[in-house]
Amino acid sequence: MTQPTQLPAWRALEKHRQEMAGVHMRDLFAADHQRFERFSLTFNDLLFDFSKNRITEKTLSLLEQLAEECKLSAKIEAMFRGARINVTENRAVLHIALRNRSNRPILLDGDDVMPDVNRVLGMMRRFTEAVRSGRWKGCTGRSITDVVNIGIGGSDLGSRMVVKALSPYVDPSLRVHFISNVDEADLVQTLFGLDPETTLFCIASKTFTTLETMANAKSAREWLLHQVRDPGAVAKHFVAISTNSEKVADFGIDTANMFEFWDWVGGRYSIWAAIGLPIALAVGMDRFEAMLEGAHRIDEHFRTAPFHRNIPVIMGLLGIWYDNFFAADAYAILPYDQYLEHLPDYLQQGDMESNGKTVDLEGHPVNYSTGPIIFGQPGTNGQHAFYQLMHQGSALIPCDFIAAAQSHHNLGEHHELLISNFIAQTEALMLGKTFEEAKSELEKEGVTGERLQELAAAKTFRGNRPSNSILYRKLTPETLGSLIALYEHKIFVQGAIWNINSFDQMGVELGKQLAKKILNDLGGEDLAHSHDSSTNALINRYKALRI
Ligand code: F6P
């Protein structure tokens, strides 16, 4: 494919960027009372307001033209049809099949994948009902009180995020914990106080070879066996979630207790597969399926809505506008919802592992920016940490504000305080405060002379800082499913425009290879000398200090 930067729409966007250089959003709002209506979309009870962006109708139409020139529709269709769009790994990308609640056949090499998807969902239902009802017994005949998921990356972040997000729906008699880090502190702290007789481990690993997960799983098995002293206990206290039955059996887990998924599910897109088992254990299978339903509705929207009414397409295109035409290389995810505490981390992997690439689908280096740095944390905490830079710093950081109109609680005016901040921040970022406005406020306080000039300059906000607002009725399982799917498809859109493979992750391999070698070097008495001087020195210093 032609590099996107060579396409007519890209060139036109570059020119248009110049036209937009002096345009301030406060003027755009003042000149058009219909701006919100023009630049907002709804999907069921979810509002996507993108009017506080540095865009006009022309911007949008050029971005849509870019999507067309990049053959976005054909690329979407290829994913849904089961084409092997993950070209480096020669795999289809079918997480949409996992939540295909319509059950229409989805063919992979001529075979419908839905019977397998439904079989595993049925197995998850039977298992989670047995555990939640207390019918599933540990090796001494006691019911399970604690579930510990051991996984990392895509085998951890999604279920960790959702279990937290759906806390109000969680059965308090079954606690769900997560261990991911190979740092022993993670395991030691999590297992502290747990009773092995009533603890169930879910070993979640697509490959079942990931170093961190395997090390943690082995230590968890030792912890169990050390206390119950019955090798048969593993069958009652360990289940696996994986694509690799051989390795699962090698580890000693009965493959009857293995929840299968497939190579056409990318790790960071696997929350909808059996990797979501801890979610179903925490909130029940009906709610897990409600989450699938919410995602499926967005899949249908993404697949069928015209670009100008397609929320993930617009989200993706706006990201392209800032990343490639304003050099905005960071992007903030700002949920005004404590239950969405882990959403920024989850989307960080989703986005950065997908689009952090510098070669295109044909293997050529790209000469344009891809994948911004994703960060964020729940409002209002972030306001007292990094928002200063977003308001007055030299970097342009587009962001998404996310909130529910209804809280799960009813504690005085907390929710209104939260929402007033959510809305105020988007207004402040957009409007800013002019030097004149700052000066007049100071004059009213009696400030004069040089001090007035200095302070007014410091209190000036340029504004014109873009944000999207996503507002929905309540954070239910369906809404959460829809929200996550919106971001997945946004990432897809951007990968499609950048002509990169959003579904491999070769960039994580080098560190893994080198860690293996360094682990060997750490073992012996000899000094390391086969690396660069810094790496040798770090190894040798560590060896000297550890005694
Ligand atoms: O970090 C690389 C990665 O392969 C991720 O893509 C994946 O989510 C994670 O490691 C865990 O992999 P696995 O599920 O195979 O243990």
Side-chain angles (χ1 to χ4, degrees):
M1 190 184 120
T2 323
Q3 292 237 325
T5 48
Q6 305 307 314
L7 293 168
W10 190 288
R11 295 269 166 82
L13 278 161
E14 277 170 343
K15 265 204 198 138
H16 178 60
R17 164 71 182 91
Q18 303 308 320
E19 290 160 17
M20 292 297 286
V23 175
H24 198 292
M25 279 189 271
R26 61 158 79 189
D27 300 324
L28 294 175
F29 271 99
D32 177 6
H33 295 293
Q34 297 296 303
R35 186 168 169 85
F36 166 76
E37 285 74 13
R38 216 179 293 290
F39 298 119
S40 61
L41 292 167
T42 52
F43 182 82
N44 297 333
D45 67 19
L46 182 146
L47 166 69
F48 174 59
D49 172 13
F50 58 103
S51 56
K52 290 189 182 106
N53 277 291
R54 287 159 79 163
I55 55 168
T56 60
E57 299 268 18
K58 182 173 174 188
T59 324
L60 266 197
S61 100
L62 287 174
L63 286 167
E64 281 163 31
Q65 191 188 322
L66 178 67
E68 265 150 34
E69 289 174 11
C70 292
K71 309 204 172 15
L72 178 60
S73 296
K75 290 183 175 184
I76 296 173
E77 200 265 325
M79 172 168 73
F80 279 84
R81 149 165 69 78
R84 291 179 184 267
I85 59 172
N86 175 358
V87 288
T88 50
E89 296 179 313
N90 190 29
R91 289 176 181 165
V93 174
L94 279 177
H95 45 280
I96 50 101
L98 302 166
R99 60 225 192 183
N100 171 21
R101 306 308 287 163
S102 73
N103 213 21
R104 77 185 157 77
I106 295 184
L107 302 184
L108 177 60
D109 300 332
D111 292 329
D112 184 8
V113 300
M114 290 315 296
D116 270 345
V117 169
N118 293 328
R119 177 176 53 76
V120 176
L121 283 173
M123 194 178 158
M124 287 171 68
R125 178 172 286 279
R126 285 189 295 282
F127 178 71
T128 53
E129 284 176 359
V131 174
R132 284 167 61 84
S133 67
R135 273 185 288 117
W136 180 280
K137 303 288 185 205
C139 59
T140 55
R142 294 169 63 195
S143 301
I144 300 300
T145 57
D146 293 272
V147 172
V148 180
N149 188 74
I150 296 184
I152 197 164
S155 298
D156 164 75
L157 289 166
S159 34
R160 189 191 286 266
M161 182 274 285
V162 172
V163 168
K164 176 73 199 240
L166 299 182
S167 300
Y169 302 92
V170 167
D171 175 355
S173 63
L174 187 66
R175 293 172 292 271
V176 180
H177 315 263
F178 293 88
I179 297 176
S180 56
N181 198 339
V182 76
D183 182 340
E184 58 212 328
D186 200 8
L187 185 127
V188 170
Q189 278 195 339
T190 308
L191 297 189
F192 181 77
L194 297 193
D195 183 344
E197 291 181 30
T198 59
T199 299
L200 174 77
F201 290 97
C202 300
I203 311 302
S205 176
K206 181 175 169 180
T207 54
F208 231 73
T209 58
T210 303
L211 178 139
E212 294 88 338
T213 301
M214 290 303 108
N216 281 325
K218 278 182 201 144
S219 296
R221 187 177 54 191
E222 274 164 31
W223 175 82
L224 173 77
L225 295 181
H226 179 72
Q227 302 193 56
V228 301
R229 299 188 179 283
D230 166 14
V234 172
K236 296 284 177 196
H237 293 271
F238 275 74
V239 298
I241 307 160
S242 188
T243 58
N244 191 341
S245 51
E246 220 173 283
K247 292 277 180 208
V248 168
D250 286 352
F251 181 85
I253 298 178
D254 185 348
T255 45
N257 294 337
M258 168 176 154
F259 296 83
E260 180 193 358
F261 65 113
W262 306 273
D263 73 355
W264 41 263
V265 183
R268 53 194 174 273
Y269 299 91
S270 62
I271 195 175
W272 322 99
I275 288 291
L277 190 69
I279 302 170
L281 283 164
V283 300
M285 200 57 194
D286 288 345
R287 293 192 179 109
F288 182 73
E289 288 185 350
M291 190 180 88
L292 301 185
E293 180 65 47
H296 175 61
R297 288 191 197 139
I298 289 294
D299 294 342
E300 290 303 284
H301 166 76
F302 181 51
R303 198 166 64 87
T304 57
F307 289 169
H308 69 280
R309 304 209 54 78
N310 195 316
I311 300 177
V313 170
I314 304 278
M315 287 169 80
L317 292 175
L318 289 170
I320 298 271
W321 177 230
Y322 295 116
D323 199 336
N324 296 111
F325 299 90
F326 289 78
D329 45 20
Y331 199 101
I333 303 289
L334 308 169
Y336 275 64
D337 189 332
Q338 195 58 33
Y339 288 128
L340 288 177
E341 186 184 13
H342 300 309
L343 184 69
D345 289 351
Y346 173 70
L347 294 178
Q348 193 170 63
Q349 187 203 14
D351 201 317
M352 295 174 75
E353 199 167 79
S354 295
N355 287 342
K357 314 284 164 67
T358 46
V359 286
D360 68 15
L361 284 169
E362 287 81 37
H364 304 127
V366 301
N367 62 357
Y368 43 87
S369 168
T370 62
I373 297 158
I374 303 291
F375 73 103
Q377 61 165 285
T380 56
N381 295 357
Q383 288 175 209
H384 299 273
F386 55 82
Y387 278 38
Q388 165 64 37
L389 188 147
M390 288 173 41
H391 282 290
Q392 285 189 313
S394 51
L396 181 73
I397 304 185
C399 45
D400 290 349
F401 285 81
I402 302 167
Q406 293 180 19
S407 162
H408 282 287
H409 308 285
N410 189 11
L411 192 62
E413 53 169 10
H414 277 260
H415 198 62
E416 304 256 295
L417 283 170
L418 178 73
I419 297 301
S420 62
N421 275 278
F422 159 81
I423 299 172
Q425 288 297 324
T426 71
E427 190 178 31
L429 285 164
M430 183 275 285
L431 275 183
K433 187 184 281 184
T434 63
F435 180 82
E436 290 311 319
E437 286 166 343
K439 200 168 147 203
S440 119
E441 280 178 14
L442 287 162
E443 278 166 349
K444 281 186 199 136
E445 290 166 21
V447 185
T448 55
E450 242 177 64
R451 179 102 183 113
L452 175 64
Q453 298 301 317
E454 275 168 24
L455 271 186
K459 285 174 178 273
T460 299
F461 291 62
R462 281 205 312 269
N464 214 17
R465 305 207 176 221
S467 67
N468 295 318
S469 299
I470 298 177
L471 179 67
Y472 40 80
R473 192 187 309 278
K474 195 168 186 170
L475 190 62
T476 61
E478 286 96 321
T479 304
L480 181 63
S482 295
L483 187 67
I484 302 168
L486 281 177
Y487 278 98
E488 286 181 345
H489 295 321
K490 168 200 169 169
I491 293 164
F492 179 93
V493 168
Q494 297 189 332
I497 304 279
W498 288 323
N499 194 35
I500 55 178
N501 181 1
S502 302
F503 301 103
D504 64 7
Q505 54 284 321
M506 306 297 180
V508 299
E509 293 308 321
L510 179 59
K512 288 187 197 171
Q513 280 168 12
L514 295 181
K516 272 193 198 147
K517 183 168 178 338
I518 290 175
L519 186 63
N520 270 338
D521 293 340
L522 295 181
E525 294 297 313
D526 299 343
L527 289 182
H529 48 74
S530 60
H531 305 265
D532 60 87
S533 61
S534 160
T535 308
N536 286 334
L538 286 168
I539 294 169
N540 296 332
R541 187 68 178 201
Y542 166 76
K543 285 164 101 160
L545 288 175
R546 75 182 164 186
I547 306 162

